[in-house]
Amino acid sequence: MVFEVFQKLEAKVQQAIDTITLLQMEIEELKEKNTSLSQEIQEAQSNRESLVNENEQLKQEQHVWQERLRGLLSKMDEV
């Protein structure tokens, strides 16, 4: 009788150890995935900043060209 109780207890302890081991493995996988996703986020933010800067530069260039064009059109109107 006592032997059966110990066998059941041992089985439950082994099951708990197996569950803990699986959960630890899952935690490690999730940590790796989290690290990977964090890197992707940083890259995306960097790309976004680059695109925002490029967009601002292109807007400034467009403004310069518009001013040049207006200047040329006004000179043409004077002629």
Side-chain angles (χ1 to χ4, degrees):
M1 178 82 170
V2 173
F3 184 71
E4 291 175 14
V5 172
F6 280 126
Q7 281 182 328
K8 288 181 181 178
L9 180 60
E10 183 181 8
K12 287 184 179 184
V13 168
Q14 187 59 48
Q15 184 180 10
I17 290 171
D18 292 344
T19 301
I20 290 168
T21 303
L22 287 174
L23 290 173
Q24 287 174 333
M25 289 171 42
E26 186 176 346
I27 287 170
E28 287 303 314
E29 289 176 11
L30 290 172
K31 283 181 181 179
E32 290 174 8
K33 188 172 183 177
N34 188 33
T35 300
S36 175
L37 289 173
S38 293
Q39 290 174 348
E40 286 183 34
I41 287 171
Q42 288 176 347
E43 289 174 12
Q45 288 174 337
S46 176
N47 289 341
R48 182 188 176 280
E49 288 176 16
S50 295
L51 289 172
V52 167
N53 291 337
E54 183 181 357
N55 187 33
E56 188 60 36
Q57 184 181 12
L58 289 172
K59 285 180 180 180
Q60 289 173 358
E61 288 179 24
Q62 180 186 15
H63 180 71
V64 168
W65 281 104
Q66 284 177 339
E67 290 301 314
R68 282 183 170 175
L69 184 58
R70 284 189 185 111
L72 289 172
L73 289 175
S74 67
K75 284 183 181 179
M76 287 177 65
D77 285 342
E78 291 173 5
V79 173

